[in-house]
Amino acid sequence: QVQLVQSGGGMVRAGESLRLSCVATGTFFSIGDWGWYREAPGKQRELVATISVGEEVKYQESVKGRFTISRDNAEKSTYLQMHSLKPEDTAVYYCTVNLIQRESDSWTDDYWGRGTQVTVSP
């Protein structure tokens, strides 16, 4: 029953901004680490950013200083704020999360969202 619902994708010009959202729905005890991946045509999927339960953040080198990952535990959400977008950022973006379903359980494998298209024109 757990699903990740994504929103916020779209088409923008180079230099503009987008904010991606991902909300975890369903029943679970605790949310773990969030991640954002992207997959461009003809390229393998790559990890863009992560944010841990303790709010430690990590970024792929190519997006450092431009992207910001955040989380809202009350809203069961993660966000990826993207500034100064480049054509090279064009891809389908996926959110991921692991969680504890019940209080006595261990961490699950990652759940994946369906992805949202981000297109950046020159």
Side-chain angles (χ1 to χ4, degrees):
Q1 290 189 348
V2 177
Q3 291 185 315
L4 303 185
V5 182
Q6 299 186 221
S7 62
M11 301 180 64
V12 297
R13 295 289 305 277
E16 295 182 337
S17 301
L18 281 175
R19 182 179 176 88
L20 305 183
S21 299
C22 180
V23 180
T25 65
T27 302
F28 42 83
F29 176 73
S30 182
I31 293 178
D33 300 341
W34 288 101
W36 286 95
Y37 289 79
R38 67 186 180 187
E39 184 173 352
K43 297 183 178 180
Q44 64 182 2
R45 185 168 53 247
E46 63 180 357
L47 181 63
V48 177
T50 61
I51 183 166
S52 72
V53 173
E55 299 197 10
E56 295 182 356
V57 298
K58 296 181 179 179
Y59 299 98
Q60 183 195 124
E61 185 66 27
S62 65
V63 307
K64 286 183 178 179
R66 300 189 298 120
F67 291 12
T68 301
I69 186 173
S70 61
R71 63 188 293 155
D72 186 331
N73 293 331
E75 297 295 327
K76 305 174 183 178
S77 301
T78 185
Y79 306 94
L80 187 67
Q81 180 68 58
M82 304 182 293
H83 294 297
S84 301
L85 282 163
K86 305 174 180 179
E88 305 92 272
D89 296 318
T90 295
V92 177
Y93 284 71
Y94 300 89
C95 58
T96 66
V97 74
N98 65 337
L99 46 77
I100 296 176
Q101 290 266 203
R102 299 186 298 180
E103 186 172 4
S104 60
D105 290 342
S106 58
W107 294 107
T108 66
D109 293 334
D110 286 349
Y111 287 87
W112 286 71
R114 287 187 172 184
T116 187
Q117 178 70 46
V118 171
T119 301
V120 184
S121 62

